[in-house]
Amino acid sequence: MLCRGTFQAGNVAIGDHNECYKRFFNSVSIGCRKSFVSSCSVGARSGPVLAVATNETTKTKQMAYEPSLADRLRLGTMSEDGMSYKEKFIVRCYEVGINKTVTVETIANLLQEVGCNHAQSVGFSTDGFATTHSMRKLHLIWVTARMYIEIYKYPAWSDVVEIETWCQSEGRIGTRRDWILKDCATGEVIGRATSKWLMMNQDTRRLQKVTDEVRDELELYFPKELRLAFPEENNGSLKKIAKLEDPAEYSKLGMVPRRADLDMNQHVNNVTYIGWVLESIPQEIIDTHELETITIDYRRECQHDDVVDSLTSVEPIEDADALESHGSNGSATAPKDVNKSFLHLLRLSSDGLEINRCRTEWRKKSART
C-alpha cells in the first residue's frame, strides 16, 4: 500500500519493528483470480474483478470501467497474473541533481507514484491513499513504517526507467510493498526497494491490526507465494537503526516545512524527510560520494508549523577485527576513507521528540563521461 502519511510513535513500540515483522503471512488464494488488462489500453474496458469471500462460495462482480485520459497515456501495465504492476518513466531535466543524475528524492517519488498507480489499477481508491472499500467505511488509512532503498546506478536525464511493484501481507499488523527498478535500454537492474505499512484510524490516529474483512479485499492482489525484492539473508533492509546520541557530529537546525512539503492530509510528505536527512550530511561526502542505500524508520507525524532539526554522525563500526585491519588504533569509528555509513536523527526543535531515524551508506562517485 502506498500513501503519504506517517504515524505517532506514542501509540506503538515502534523501536521493535523487526520483531513485529519476523513472521510473514503467506498469501492464500481466495476464489478465482483473473488477469488484468493493461492500463494503457485505449477505449472502454472492464475494470478489475473484485471478489468477496463468503462462508462456502466466492462471489465475483465485474464492473464496467471507462479509462481516463491519464489511464491511456500512462506507460503502465498489470502483469499477466495480475499480481504486480510495471510502469515506465522518462527522467525529466528537473529531476536531475548536481551529479547530473536523478536524486534519491526523485527515486522515492517515482516509487510512490507507481505504487499509487498500481492501487488504482486494481480498483482501490483514487484519492492517493490506496484504501479499500472496507477501509474507507472504517476510516482507516495506510501509514509508512519503514522505507529501504538500494541504488546500484543512478539514471540520467532522458533515461527511461521501468519500475515493477507488488504488495503482500506481513504479519497480522500490516503489509509490505516491494519494487524493482530497471534501465529500459539495457534491462539492467539499477535498484531495489522495500517498505512496511501499518493501518491507522484516521480519526483517532491510532494504529490497529488489519481486519479480516480488509485482508480479504487485499489478498486478491497479493502474489500466491512470498516474493521479496531482497530475498538474501541478513540483507540491509532488515538491519535495525541505532539511535543517534547527542552531541551529533553534523547538524542542520531550525528547518521549517514549506507549503509544497505538505500532502493532501496536511502532513509532511514522507519523501520530504529524506531531503531533510541529507541536509546535515557533510559537504565533502556530497562532493566525493553518492548515496548507495538509505533506510528510514518513520516514528512521528510532522505538521506545517513544526520546526525540525537534522542530526548526523558517522556510524560506529562494531566489528573489532574490521577496525584493526583498517588501522583505527582502537577508535570507535573507522578512518574517513573506510567508513562511509552515517546515522541520522530528525527531531522536533521544540521538545526533542524523535520524528524519524535513518541510516545511509555512501560509495565513491564513479567517473562519468
Side-chain angles (χ1 to χ4, degrees):
M1 304 305 101
L2 199 46
C3 67
R4 297 183 177 183
T6 54
F7 56 88
Q8 297 286 356
N11 299 324
V12 67
I14 304 300
D16 294 326
H17 279 320
N18 291 342
E19 293 299 317
C20 295
Y21 292 102
K22 278 183 178 177
R23 294 191 300 272
F24 292 102
F25 184 85
N26 290 328
S27 301
V28 297
S29 177
I30 300 181
C32 179
R33 299 178 186 260
K34 300 287 186 180
S35 295
F36 294 90
V37 182
S38 163
S39 64
C40 295
S41 57
V42 179
R45 65 176 172 86
S46 296
V49 176
L50 301 181
V52 180
T54 61
N55 289 337
E56 296 181 355
T57 63
T58 298
K59 300 177 181 179
T60 61
K61 180 181 180 181
Q62 187 79 18
M63 299 188 301
Y65 176 71
E66 180 71 23
S68 66
L69 178 61
D71 289 327
R72 297 195 294 269
L73 294 177
R74 190 175 288 130
L75 300 177
T77 59
M78 294 296 299
S79 61
E80 259 187 55
D81 63 2
M83 299 297 105
S84 71
Y85 174 84
K86 294 181 181 180
E87 188 168 349
K88 295 181 176 67
F89 298 92
I90 303 170
V91 176
R92 314 294 183 181
C93 64
Y94 55 81
E95 296 172 325
V96 172
I98 60 175
N99 294 331
K100 300 181 180 180
T101 55
V102 300
T103 64
V104 66
E105 293 99 320
T106 293
I107 289 177
N109 275 318
L110 290 178
L111 299 181
Q112 188 163 252
E113 175 70 8
V114 74
C116 287
N117 293 342
H118 177 208
Q120 291 188 29
S121 294
V122 300
F124 293 163
S125 71
T126 58
D127 60 5
F129 293 107
T131 51
T132 69
H133 174 74
S134 296
M135 290 177 66
R136 293 191 294 278
K137 183 176 65 177
L138 299 171
H139 294 190
L140 300 173
I141 60 173
W142 294 110
V143 291
T144 322
R146 166 174 275 218
M147 175 72 74
Y148 176 79
I149 304 173
E150 197 167 284
I151 307 165
Y152 313 126
K153 178 184 177 183
Y154 282 86
W157 179 21
S158 295
D159 284 353
V160 181
V161 178
E162 181 183 72
I163 304 177
E164 181 182 11
T165 187
W166 63 94
C167 283
Q168 54 208 332
S169 292
E170 183 147 297
R172 295 295 299 176
I173 64 172
T175 61
R176 65 179 288 148
R177 178 176 284 281
D178 287 27
W179 297 265
I180 299 289
L181 296 83
K182 291 184 179 180
D183 183 327
C184 280
T186 64
E188 175 188 6
V189 174
I190 59 174
R192 295 183 288 172
T194 187
S195 58
K196 296 174 182 178
W197 299 82
L198 303 178
M199 192 171 284
M200 173 191 280
N201 185 291
Q202 195 168 14
D203 301 324
T204 66
R205 314 308 291 176
R206 291 188 176 276
L207 300 177
Q208 72 174 63
K209 291 182 180 180
V210 179
T211 65
D212 290 338
E213 185 178 11
V214 171
R215 191 175 297 278
D216 286 346
E217 292 174 314
L218 296 173
E219 285 179 347
L220 293 170
Y221 313 108
F222 291 166
K224 296 179 181 179
E225 296 183 1
L226 185 66
R227 180 188 177 191
L228 305 176
F230 297 93
E232 305 90 345
E233 291 186 11
N234 302 317
N235 65 80
S237 73
L238 303 175
K239 186 169 182 177
K240 195 170 182 178
I241 305 175
K243 184 176 180 180
L244 187 156
E245 302 293 344
D246 277 340
E249 296 177 56
Y250 311 97
S251 63
K252 178 76 171 181
L253 308 179
M255 295 184 296
V256 180
R258 305 170 303 157
R259 292 189 181 97
D261 294 328
L262 303 181
D263 62 21
M264 62 185 76
N265 209 25
Q266 297 297 309
H267 296 141
V268 172
N269 186 314
N270 58 29
V271 178
T272 298
Y273 296 114
I274 296 176
W276 285 348
V277 163
L278 300 182
E279 279 297 302
S280 56
I281 283 285
Q283 187 61 43
E284 59 266 26
I285 296 298
I286 300 297
D287 292 340
T288 59
H289 290 68
E290 63 183 9
L291 184 66
E292 184 171 23
T293 72
I294 181 168
T295 316
I296 185 165
D297 283 341
Y298 296 91
R299 294 168 175 267
R300 184 174 301 277
E301 292 178 307
C302 185
Q303 302 184 5
H304 67 90
D305 55 352
D306 288 328
V307 181
V308 177
D309 295 336
S310 176
L311 308 178
T312 292
S313 289
V314 174
E315 182 179 31
I317 292 181
E318 299 177 356
D319 189 338
D321 293 335
L323 287 171
E324 184 176 351
S325 67
H326 290 302
S328 60
N329 295 322
S331 169
T333 59
K336 286 188 176 182
D337 61 341
V338 174
N339 188 350
K340 291 297 180 285
S341 297
F342 294 88
L343 295 177
H344 310 269
L345 176 69
L346 289 184
R347 68 184 183 190
L348 296 176
S349 297
S350 57
D351 51 21
L353 289 177
E354 187 176 30
I355 300 171
N356 58 51
R357 62 179 64 174
C358 180
R359 181 176 183 271
T360 60
E361 295 179 283
W362 300 74
R363 60 173 174 252
K364 279 277 190 181
K365 287 181 181 178
S366 57
R368 299 186 184 276
T369 57

